[in-house]
Amino acid sequence: MLQKTPAEIVLIKKACEITRDALKLAKSMIKEGISTFDIDKSIEKFIIDSGGSAPCIGYMGYPAASCISVNDTVVHGIPSKDIILKKGDIVSVDIVASYKGYCGDATRTFCVGKVDAEKEKLVRVTKECFFKGIENARVGDRIGKISSAIQHHAESNGFSVVRELTGHGIGKKMHESPEVLNYGKETDGAVIKENMTIAIEPMINAGKKEIYVLPDGWGVKTRDGKPAAHYENTVLFTASGVEVLTLEEDDEYYAKYRPKG
Ligand code: MF3
Ligand code: CO
């Protein structure tokens, strides 16, 4: 269903709090020498200990609770004991938690120590793309309002937008309609309705937009080997605006977009 009931929204908000807090835990673990496997295992334990579950496990055969994607891996990196973080890496951690049957979905790209200027700008601009996307989008607009603002901000900073992967509605299932493209025209896409919950997730490449999928069937990498970043939140559209349900309380945008009630 595109529009959620008040009772469903309560559960989605709780799932989003667990997702947000699991990301905070992941952030605290980002250090040179740790494997992405160990980060994922802690995320899984945290979700379970919080009374939730991790719907990525077993989703179309996916083997982990989170996707952890380093440098030129755009998304869907399978956590591995063989992937050890190094200084200068950027690491995207994508987490879905579910609570009493409802999902929250969010991603952050973290820096391991000091990263080069291109990566630093890429991480910053990818987050900005998300907030440019929601800045002017309201109930009654089309999803394309979000999509076109994301594309414009990425490309005007010299970066490119991955085309093959998109944001999505979210609720009982982690992927529902509508599709939320990260490119296109303001007049494209579904009309935004009151009490719609969607995951908006710009996936931005420092170089060219082309990608390929690893032989494991999951990991998505940039063709040109340049880095990529990802920033995602689950949001709720209401009559009075937009709430970002997976936003950290200490985020600079929290006062403007915090969940109400
Ligand atoms: N969290 C991803 C998204 O943003 C999907 C995860 S794919 C899975 O849509 F296989 F890990 F579930
Ligand atoms: Co998502």
Side-chain angles (χ1 to χ4, degrees):
M1 258 306 283
L2 291 182
Q3 289 166 282
K4 270 63 183 183
T5 65
E8 289 182 302
I9 289 169
V10 169
L11 297 177
I12 291 170
K13 284 186 170 177
K14 177 67 185 166
C16 285
E17 285 173 18
I18 297 172
T19 306
R20 173 200 69 198
D21 291 345
L23 275 172
K24 278 191 222 161
L25 171 67
K27 181 180 185 181
S28 75
M29 296 182 77
I30 299 288
K31 274 185 196 72
E32 182 180 38
I34 193 167
S35 74
T36 59
F37 180 89
D38 287 344
I39 298 169
D40 177 71
K41 282 294 158 200
S42 294
I43 290 168
E44 179 182 348
K45 181 175 188 309
F46 178 86
I47 293 172
I48 304 303
D49 290 349
S50 305
S53 65
C56 289
I57 299 172
Y59 176 81
M60 292 169 69
Y62 190 76
S66 64
C67 302
I68 307 186
S69 308
V70 180
N71 295 331
D72 62 328
T73 304
V74 186
V75 290
H76 300 167
I78 298 178
S80 166
K81 288 183 178 163
D82 296 329
I83 302 177
I84 311 287
L85 301 186
K86 316 180 292 312
K87 281 192 184 133
D89 286 344
I90 58 172
V91 189
S92 302
V93 180
D94 183 351
I95 301 178
V96 184
S98 107
Y99 182 75
K100 296 193 175 163
Y102 286 86
C103 297
D105 188 359
T107 306
R108 298 290 179 269
T109 301
F110 302 114
C111 299
V112 185
K114 180 118 184 83
V115 304
D116 68 32
E118 181 184 58
K119 283 176 170 169
E120 197 172 283
K121 179 179 171 193
L122 178 68
V123 169
R124 173 177 58 79
V125 168
T126 302
K127 178 179 179 181
E128 287 168 2
C129 282
F130 172 90
F131 286 98
K132 296 277 182 195
I134 62 171
E135 193 169 281
N136 297 310
R138 292 296 176 265
V139 167
D141 291 330
R142 289 192 181 265
I143 294 285
K145 194 127 181 198
I146 302 168
S147 314
S148 66
I150 290 171
Q151 180 179 19
H152 178 262
H153 191 64
E155 291 178 354
S156 62
N157 278 283
F159 299 142
S160 64
V161 174
V162 175
R163 299 295 200 270
E164 291 83 348
L165 299 141
T166 70
H168 47 90
I170 181 165
K172 274 192 178 140
K173 290 188 288 180
M174 68 172 130
H175 295 148
E176 300 185 349
S177 57
E179 225 178 16
V180 184
L181 273 56
N182 293 310
Y183 64 95
K185 298 195 300 289
E186 286 199 358
T187 49
D188 290 344
V191 175
I192 299 173
K193 301 257 174 63
E194 196 175 343
N195 294 338
M196 200 183 236
T197 46
I198 61 174
I200 302 169
E201 48 181 313
M203 289 157 266
I204 307 299
N205 292 351
K208 296 198 164 66
K209 66 181 186 310
E210 283 72 25
I211 49 117
Y212 69 98
V213 179
L214 285 173
D216 67 21
W218 285 101
V220 172
K221 300 200 73 104
T222 60
R223 274 242 166 257
D224 62 12
K226 292 202 171 194
H230 186 192
Y231 182 90
E232 174 180 28
N233 285 302
T234 298
V235 310
L236 166 69
F237 284 95
T238 68
S240 51
V242 52
E243 300 178 22
V244 181
L245 305 184
T246 43
L247 199 56
E248 301 86 340
E249 302 97 316
D250 61 355
D251 192 275
E252 59 190 304
Y253 291 97
Y254 189 77
K256 191 164 177 195
Y257 293 117
R258 74 184 166 75
K260 310 293 183 299

